[in-house]
Amino acid sequence: MFEKMTEAFRKPYLQLSVVDLEELSSHSIVLFDHFLENKKFYKLMLSSKVNVNFREKMIKKLVQLFREDYSEFTYTEVDPEINIKLFNTYQVHGIIGLILEWIDHDFPYSPAYMGDQLIHILSFYMKKVVINKVDD
């Protein structure tokens, strides 16, 4: 299954050396299609009832794919105070979290929607965060 996941992961950029997010189609991101097509398998293997550390193995494999395949991310704005390696780690785990959340909540959105959201999220630049006040 990890081989099929790897094929789906790499499909949008097999023939490319650089991926421009502004030109990437959400339909070309077939990784979400892979998870949906194998829904029963992933729901079973990621459930708390199965104790084979599949979640950790899947996360490790996805991190490996990002690290091997993406030599560098380019940014519209770079803060010199940010360690780019740590920022890339943050992004990779954010994408994996997005996938796991989608699976854990029983695939509430279409793969195309998820691909579109992923493109927008990767292109997003956050300047401020509003904090909700919590009464103790």
Side-chain angles (χ1 to χ4, degrees):
M1 194 58 75
F2 283 160
E3 287 178 23
K4 290 180 180 180
M5 183 182 74
T6 300
E7 289 174 20
F9 179 90
R10 290 181 169 152
K11 189 170 182 180
Y13 59 86
L14 275 177
Q15 306 300 322
L16 303 173
S17 59
V18 175
V19 176
D20 185 341
L21 292 176
E22 292 177 352
E23 297 177 10
L24 190 63
S25 160
S26 61
H27 295 287
S28 68
I29 302 174
V30 296
L31 183 61
F32 294 106
D33 294 293
H34 164 78
F35 288 119
L36 187 60
E37 289 166 7
N38 298 285
K39 177 180 181 174
K40 287 182 182 180
F41 173 82
Y42 284 105
K43 291 293 285 182
L44 173 67
M45 294 303 289
L46 293 170
S47 78
S48 59
K49 297 172 188 164
V50 175
N51 190 10
V52 293
N53 297 324
F54 183 80
R55 181 177 292 263
E56 290 78 18
K57 290 175 185 175
M58 187 176 100
I59 290 169
K60 185 177 179 180
K61 181 62 179 176
L62 286 167
V63 168
Q64 176 190 353
L65 287 170
F66 276 101
R67 298 266 187 246
E68 287 177 358
D69 290 11
Y70 302 153
S71 60
E72 72 178 63
F73 293 93
T74 57
Y75 306 99
T76 54
E77 196 172 315
V78 176
D79 181 339
E81 297 296 315
I82 293 177
N83 177 316
I84 295 299
K85 184 174 181 176
L86 292 176
F87 184 67
N88 289 343
T89 297
Y90 168 81
Q91 284 189 305
V92 167
H93 284 277
I95 294 166
I96 293 167
L98 187 75
I99 292 166
L100 292 173
E101 177 87 5
W102 184 59
I103 293 169
D104 288 344
H105 286 88
D106 204 27
F107 307 86
Y109 307 107
S110 73
Y113 179 82
M114 293 300 293
D116 188 53
Q117 286 297 297
L118 179 59
I119 291 168
H120 286 294
I121 289 167
L122 289 174
S123 303
F124 183 72
Y125 173 74
M126 180 178 11
K127 190 68 175 173
K128 293 181 183 180
V129 176
V130 176
I131 306 298
N132 294 321
K133 298 295 180 191
V134 179
D135 296 328
D136 290 330

